[in-house]
Amino acid sequence: NNGSVIGAVIGATVGAGLALVGLPVCLGALGFTGAGIAAGSIAAKMMSAAAIANGGGVAAGSTVAVLQSIGAAGLSAGAKVGLTAALGSAGAASSDWITE
């Protein structure tokens, strides 16, 4: 029916929006910025904990390193496509579940 199609479209749009806009905004709010990790932020606390755990440095490929890379350079085109597909599909499926 039309209601479930409209709900699925809205859910898919919300999911895609989360992937393309929400994730970078959230990373910036946590302190993973283009200029580096913001002092006093959650990202700074994560970096400190990672450095202590690794004997003074943050390991390449670690969660902190990957999040800072995304915060500095943004998501790659492939990551954007993958996240949009996954979160768009999840949004469409969850809207159908919610409207039942």
Side-chain angles (χ1 to χ4, degrees):
N1 80 37
N2 283 341
S4 105
V5 171
I6 292 170
V9 169
I10 291 171
T13 303
V14 169
L18 285 173
L20 298 176
V21 178
L23 183 61
V25 168
C26 287
L27 288 177
L30 290 174
F32 296 102
T33 70
I37 291 179
S41 66
I42 292 172
K45 289 178 176 82
M46 290 174 66
M47 182 177 164
S48 175
I52 290 169
N54 288 314
V58 176
S62 69
T63 301
V64 173
V66 170
L67 292 175
Q68 179 52 39
S69 176
I70 294 169
L75 294 167
S76 68
K80 286 180 183 177
V81 169
L83 282 171
T84 301
L87 293 178
S89 298
S94 65
S95 73
D96 188 44
W97 174 74
I98 290 170
T99 57
E100 287 182 1

